[in-house]
Amino acid sequence: MSIPELIVQYWPRLMAGLVLTVEITIISLFFAGVLGLVFGLLSVSKKKGLRAIALVYVDIVRGTPLLVQAFFIYFGIPQVLGIQSDPVISGIITLSLNAGGYLAEIFRGGIESISRGQMEAARSLGLPYGMAMRSVILPQAVKTMTPALINQCIITLKDTSLLSVIGVTELTQTGRLIIANNFQSFEVWAIVAAMYFVIIMILSKISKRLERKMSYGKSKN
């Protein structure tokens, strides 16, 4: 069976896998963004205890493979708690915690890239620390962080393929199931790779355009 014939025959299944991949990516990035912001703020806190908490979280996430994290959350924790885990929920938790650790570092770097004088000026005007961070520092930091944030989105999207090992029927797992039916590995993986490639290239183009736009704005200023 040729590639066009495979696409026609299995397109609904491939699209279902792709949709689940995108859904998991979006949901995971939402929670990862919350975690990243919280731990990013903790990492720039003046209190050593809060900085230590953020450091431990980031080091654990960055110091262990994503696949091991997925196995731990899907197999390890449910065994200890005596519960049955859902592959999709476990996958979302894994990606959220993993991406959250990297986003925390991105947020930390973005916040620290803003001059301390900005915070001092905001505080001298009577703004509380939280409001100064929310209204003055973060809006400026987000502009510098945008390319890195989009890059993390791309990484998380690609990382969804690892969730196939715990039974999540995203795009990669869908490809494996199709191959189990027709044994046409080359053709099926070529289609799956092309689908990933199109989405990732779109995100990459967006990232490069935003980066050029921001670079132009800085040079103009």
Side-chain angles (χ1 to χ4, degrees), residues 1-7 9-10 182 184 187:
M1 189 179 297
S2 64
I3 290 180
E5 291 173 336
L6 283 172
I7 293 175
Q9 181 173 349
Y10 293 105
N182 58 28
Q184 293 184 261
E187 293 84 354

Side-chain angles (χ1 to χ4, degrees), residues 204-218:
S204 298
K205 294 296 182 182
I206 293 173
S207 177
K208 290 179 181 179
R209 176 170 294 185
L210 287 174
E211 193 171 357
R212 285 197 300 267
K213 186 176 181 180
M214 291 177 183
S215 298
Y216 175 76
K218 290 180 181 179

Side-chain angles (χ1 to χ4, degrees), residues 68-89:
V68 173
Q69 296 170 16
F71 285 149
F72 179 76
I73 292 173
Y74 182 66
F75 294 111
I77 294 179
Q79 182 181 13
V80 172
L81 299 178
I83 60 176
Q84 186 174 2
S85 57
D86 179 85
V88 174
I89 294 176

Side-chain angles (χ1 to χ4, degrees), residues 19-216:
V19 168
L20 183 58
T21 295
V22 173
E23 288 177 347
I24 291 175
T25 302
I26 293 173
I27 296 172
S28 299
L29 286 173
F30 171 78
F31 290 112
V34 174
L35 290 172
L37 179 58
V38 170
F39 284 98
L41 292 174
L42 291 181
S43 65
V44 297
S45 173
K46 295 181 179 180
K47 298 181 179 180
K48 291 184 178 180
L50 297 179
R51 294 202 305 270
I53 293 173
L55 180 62
V56 170
Y57 168 63
V58 171
D59 284 349
I60 290 175
V61 168
R62 299 177 67 179
T64 55
L66 177 61
L67 195 58
V68 173
Q69 296 170 16
F71 285 149
F72 179 76
I73 292 173
Y74 182 66
F75 294 111
I77 294 179
Q79 182 181 13
V80 172
L81 299 178
I83 60 176
Q84 186 174 2
S85 57
D86 179 85
V88 174
I89 294 176
S90 297
I92 290 173
I93 293 173
T94 301
L95 290 179
S96 298
L97 292 174
N98 182 270
Y102 289 94
L103 288 177
E105 284 294 278
I106 294 174
F107 278 110
R108 181 191 61 78
I111 292 171
E112 291 182 344
S113 69
I114 307 301
S115 172
R116 292 184 178 180
Q118 298 274 355
M119 176 61 76
E120 294 172 357
R123 297 301 300 275
S124 67
L125 293 174
L127 291 178
Y129 178 84
M131 183 176 293
M133 182 65 71
R134 183 172 62 253
S135 303
V136 178
I137 304 301
L138 285 178
Q140 298 180 71
V142 167
K143 293 181 180 180
T144 63
M145 294 186 297
T146 298
L149 292 174
I150 296 179
N151 185 59
Q152 184 58 49
C153 292
I154 295 173
I155 293 173
T156 302
L157 175 65
K158 291 192 290 187
D159 284 345
T160 58
S161 62
L162 295 176
L163 301 182
S164 62
V165 298
I166 60 174
V168 179
T169 53
E170 40 66 66
L171 185 55
T172 299
Q173 179 69 354
T174 300
R176 292 173 63 182
L177 294 175
I178 293 174
I179 292 171
N181 292 331
N182 58 28
F183 303 103
Q184 293 184 261
S185 299
F186 177 82
E187 293 84 354
V188 174
W189 288 129
I191 296 170
V192 170
M195 295 176 75
Y196 275 117
F197 179 79
V198 170
I199 297 178
I200 291 171
M201 282 303 298
I202 292 173
L203 291 175
S204 298
K205 294 296 182 182
I206 293 173
S207 177
K208 290 179 181 179
R209 176 170 294 185
L210 287 174
E211 193 171 357
R212 285 197 300 267
K213 186 176 181 180
M214 291 177 183
S215 298
Y216 175 76

